[in-house]
Amino acid sequence: MADKKENTSPNQQDAKTETPSSGSYLLETSTEQTHKVNILEKLFGAGNKLITLPSNPDIQISDETRRLLALFSDGTYLVSKEHRFDGLVYNFEKTIKRRKLPINPPNYVSQNEISAIYAYAERGIGLTDIEGENLDQMQMQIDFINIVSRASVQKVSDVHIVVADSTLVMFRINGMMVRQMEYNKEWGEAFVRAAFASADISDSNYAQNEFQGAQKLGETPLRGSNGRLMLPHNVLAIRLQFNPIAFGSQYLVMRLLYADDNPDGSSDLRALGFGEREENLFYRLRAVPVGLNIIAGPTGSGKSTTLQRNMIKLLQEKNYEINLLTVEDPPEYPIPGARQMPVTNANTEEEKEGEFTKALNAALRSDPDVMMVGEIRSLSAAELTFKGALSGHGVWTTLHANSAPAIITRLRDMGVQPYMLADPELMKGLISQRLFRRLCPHCRVSVKQRMQDPSFERLKTALGDFGIENTYVRGPGCKACGYKGFNGRLSVPEIILPDAMFLQLMISGDTKRAIDYWVSELDGRPLRDAALERMLKGYIDLDEVERWCGLLDQRPVY
């Protein structure tokens, strides 16, 4: 890398006199449309090609490097002026020179202009198609799609954009927050506005100091042009949550909802991590024609995916001869054979509750055999859900609760009548689950390599020599797992098929006796035991078990 005192490579020094004082190559050469046409003709004319496109197998660079620069076949070289001294730029220049490819002194442009050039090359969307005042907004929408594309490759569940003195972009990968990129504050504010503008369902106007939700489906219209941007093929939709924050300006969280990697096997519970025991219990619950089944867990625990797989499996088992209606806010995953009813035209929480209640009432009047309610969020939704189960339908839904037994406590606190909670003919299935990071089987290492760690002693105390011999921990990483040590996540559930005694104990508040009764009399297996089984099979590591279930030398607390 060049000496920090010089701050430029020779090529960059030579380019200073050739670059407009503004540092702009495309936007400030001229504001006239004819000049924009001339610039595009110069860049892409006479067979000139953008050789740093992802589709070019001869030049393989990372998306992060591609964001900072663009190289054409005639040697025209554009670099983001904000990152002219970035190590990625220097490394790229060295690689190109080593391969003896033509490269001219750089012209410094904005990141937005580089994004627009790639958009033109990849999708036929050019600066000539766009009204000048809308160019910046369009380019930020391209940035929005680029970040979603980068996240989708890594199967990121959530993208966090935190705008303060600078803008921090973080990905939640396998349940863990990972810092990815940092930009200036102005870029972040423009990005958040562009994300809001790209949404298909949102408030009419973006309000920076208010809490707002939105949803992105399908393709993104480019404001001020005839072009459209598409979400990556494996991303069905994006849920957007806009939040004001203290000591900053904006905070955007984007939840990415993915299509199934294998649509033909989309009813396969084993692919989610469930074992033979859990698969059999789910089969028994699907076989019951009436009653209520509830899947619980915190945000991001895989509830919706498990619910979708069960509904697809249910339809297949019934030869698609039943009427399955869903009420969702919003629909997250397609369920072939079901009639999925979205809750729309609602901006505030009060309006959403009213629309949700209206949709549930409509579903009950639409001759259902089985109903799926996306989530119980309020007492009115809970009452209508119970009404569906009481009127002779099978009902499946989700709920935010800490554990399977806590589903009863949560519903009681919401105001559901105790006599309904105590009815085993109504309460059929209580399920809770968590997502554990799956160990890479190629690079995992024995826990014996951590004999000096306190967790080793806790494992020895809890499970003895058998536990030590059969427990693995995260390894150094390898090519198979992308050098992460983990390879995806798996669902670990606890499932209760309650009887009258269990329900009565829970309603009376005697949780400990209820748990003991479930384990001893109903052959129950709490989440901790299910996780330990998978740990001893080498699927998950010691740290994951303690992260979700507490320290191994402590008694579980319910």
Side-chain angles (χ1 to χ4, degrees):
M1 186 175 290
D3 192 332
K4 288 291 184 181
K5 293 182 180 178
E6 295 294 329
N7 279 338
T8 55
S9 66
N11 279 352
Q12 291 167 327
Q13 289 175 337
D14 295 340
K16 286 184 177 180
T17 58
E18 300 177 13
T19 306
S21 59
S22 64
S24 175
Y25 182 70
L26 295 179
L27 298 182
E28 297 182 20
T29 300
S30 173
T31 58
E32 298 296 326
Q33 187 78 1
T34 56
H35 284 268
K36 294 178 182 177
V37 173
N38 291 336
I39 289 170
L40 286 171
E41 288 178 348
K42 178 181 177 182
L43 289 175
F44 292 95
N48 198 25
K49 296 181 180 179
L50 180 59
I51 63 176
T52 47
L53 282 169
S55 57
N56 182 6
D58 297 328
I59 299 181
Q60 294 295 322
I61 59 176
S62 67
D63 290 340
E64 184 65 11
T65 300
R66 188 174 295 108
R67 179 180 175 77
L68 307 183
L69 52 85
L71 178 63
F72 288 81
S73 56
D74 67 351
T76 299
Y77 180 40
L78 308 180
V79 176
S80 165
K81 59 178 178 286
E82 295 93 346
H83 298 85
R84 62 175 68 187
F85 307 125
D86 196 294
L88 293 174
V89 175
Y90 290 136
N91 291 336
F92 173 80
E93 292 173 1
K94 290 178 181 178
T95 300
I96 295 301
K97 291 175 181 177
R98 186 169 60 248
R99 298 182 59 181
K100 300 186 183 307
L101 295 173
I103 180 170
N104 297 333
N107 289 289
Y108 297 117
V109 301
S110 71
Q111 282 187 290
N112 289 346
E113 290 171 286
I114 290 190
S115 295
I117 288 170
Y118 278 104
Y120 178 83
E122 292 180 330
R123 307 178 180 91
I125 302 168
L127 299 176
T128 57
D129 300 324
I130 306 161
E131 301 171 6
E133 62 270 19
N134 292 321
L135 179 59
D136 286 341
Q137 183 181 15
M138 185 279 289
Q139 291 168 337
M140 292 312 299
Q141 290 186 32
I142 294 172
D143 284 355
F144 169 76
I145 294 297
N146 286 342
I147 285 183
V148 171
S149 298
R150 174 173 176 168
S152 69
V153 170
Q154 303 179 61
K155 274 303 187 73
V156 169
S157 62
D158 301 87
V159 177
H160 294 245
I161 311 291
V162 184
V163 184
D165 294 334
S166 62
T167 300
L168 182 61
V169 180
M170 294 182 289
F171 289 173
R172 186 177 289 279
I173 303 174
N174 290 331
M176 307 300 288
M177 296 287 285
V178 180
R179 181 171 178 157
Q180 291 291 316
M181 297 165 275
E182 187 171 356
Y183 302 111
N184 59 39
K185 178 180 180 180
E186 291 71 26
W187 180 92
E189 291 176 340
F191 182 92
V192 172
R193 289 193 297 271
F196 186 87
S198 299
D200 298 300
I201 303 172
S202 66
D203 295 343
S204 56
N205 295 304
Y206 172 63
Q208 178 175 326
N209 296 319
E210 295 181 9
F211 297 96
Q212 292 180 293
Q215 186 179 10
K216 171 76 201 81
L217 293 170
E219 55 186 17
T220 300
L222 292 177
R223 303 298 174 88
S225 80
N226 294 323
R228 299 185 75 83
L229 289 180
M230 301 293 292
L231 289 179
H233 67 90
N234 62 332
V235 178
L236 287 175
I238 305 173
R239 288 198 318 225
L240 304 163
Q241 179 60 45
F242 300 84
N243 306 306
I245 55 172
F247 313 110
S249 57
Q250 290 139 313
Y251 176 33
L252 166 63
V253 181
M254 305 192 295
R255 165 62 59 86
L256 275 58
L257 306 175
Y258 293 97
D260 286 322
D261 292 330
N262 177 19
D264 293 334
S266 59
S267 65
D268 183 11
L269 292 174
R270 290 292 186 97
L272 300 180
F274 296 122
E276 182 178 356
R277 174 192 176 94
E278 290 88 16
E279 197 170 35
N280 180 59
L281 290 174
F282 272 118
Y283 171 77
R284 294 173 66 84
L285 292 175
R286 292 192 303 270
V288 179
V290 298
L292 180 60
N293 300 285
I294 303 175
I295 302 175
T299 300
S301 59
K303 302 185 298 295
S304 297
T305 304
T306 298
L307 188 58
Q308 179 226 24
R309 295 283 175 105
N310 266 288
M311 294 301 94
I312 294 174
K313 193 70 172 177
L314 175 63
L315 286 165
Q316 292 173 348
E317 290 168 347
K318 304 298 183 182
N319 297 316
Y320 297 93
E321 295 175 347
I322 61 172
N323 185 25
L324 172 58
L325 297 179
T326 80
V327 177
E328 304 170 78
D329 177 24
E332 295 188 358
Y333 300 107
I335 302 175
R339 263 60 67 184
Q340 295 180 257
M341 301 166 58
V343 177
T344 58
N345 303 320
N347 296 321
T348 67
E349 288 302 317
E350 292 77 11
E351 289 177 353
K352 286 182 180 180
E353 184 175 338
E355 290 297 323
F356 200 78
T357 301
K358 186 186 299 183
L360 275 173
N361 271 316
L364 286 170
R365 295 193 300 268
S366 299
D367 187 31
D369 294 300
V370 178
M371 288 177 53
M372 188 196 96
V373 180
E375 181 183 337
I376 295 178
R377 298 179 179 176
S378 63
L379 176 59
S380 59
E383 289 174 340
L384 283 171
T385 302
F386 275 84
K387 179 180 177 181
L390 283 167
S391 57
H393 304 105
V395 180
W396 291 73
T397 186
T398 69
L399 180 73
H400 285 282
N402 292 329
S403 65
I407 292 173
I408 301 297
T409 306
R410 178 86 170 90
L411 291 171
R412 185 185 60 189
D413 289 345
M414 290 177 69
V416 177
Q417 293 296 322
Y419 75 88
M420 289 192 288
L421 297 177
D423 186 356
E425 295 302 314
L426 179 61
M427 305 298 297
K428 291 298 184 181
L430 308 175
I431 304 111
S432 177
Q433 70 175 53
R434 299 291 189 276
L435 291 177
F436 288 67
R437 290 181 293 178
R438 188 193 302 264
L439 276 173
C440 175
H442 304 285
C443 63
R444 66 187 185 183
V445 297
S446 171
V447 74
K448 294 177 184 178
Q449 296 191 18
R450 288 182 16 185
M451 294 181 65
Q452 305 304 317
D453 194 282
S455 62
F456 181 87
E457 291 301 321
R458 293 195 294 269
L459 174 64
K460 186 175 182 179
T461 300
L463 299 176
D465 292 337
F466 178 80
I468 293 172
E469 291 296 328
N470 292 278
T471 298
Y472 294 86
V473 293
R474 180 182 186 177
C478 64
K479 186 176 181 180
C481 62
Y483 301 95
K484 297 182 179 71
F486 296 105
N487 194 359
R489 291 187 289 178
L490 56 82
S491 298
V492 180
E494 56 182 13
I495 304 174
I496 304 175
L497 277 60
D499 65 2
M501 175 62 74
F502 173 84
L503 293 172
Q504 190 57 52
L505 288 170
M506 284 300 305
I507 292 171
S508 65
D510 198 344
T511 303
K512 185 180 183 307
R513 281 187 61 198
I515 299 296
D516 291 340
Y517 176 80
W518 166 45
V519 172
S520 61
E521 302 297 328
L522 302 180
D523 193 27
R525 186 170 68 169
L527 177 70
R528 179 189 178 100
D529 293 345
L532 287 174
E533 178 201 31
R534 287 159 173 81
M535 182 187 77
L536 295 173
K537 288 181 177 179
Y539 299 154
I540 60 179
D541 75 351
L542 172 61
D543 295 330
E544 280 293 279
V545 173
E546 292 200 327
R547 181 163 76 101
W548 288 113
C549 304
L551 302 181
L552 290 187
D553 60 355
Q554 294 178 340
R555 290 180 59 84
V557 178
Y558 283 92

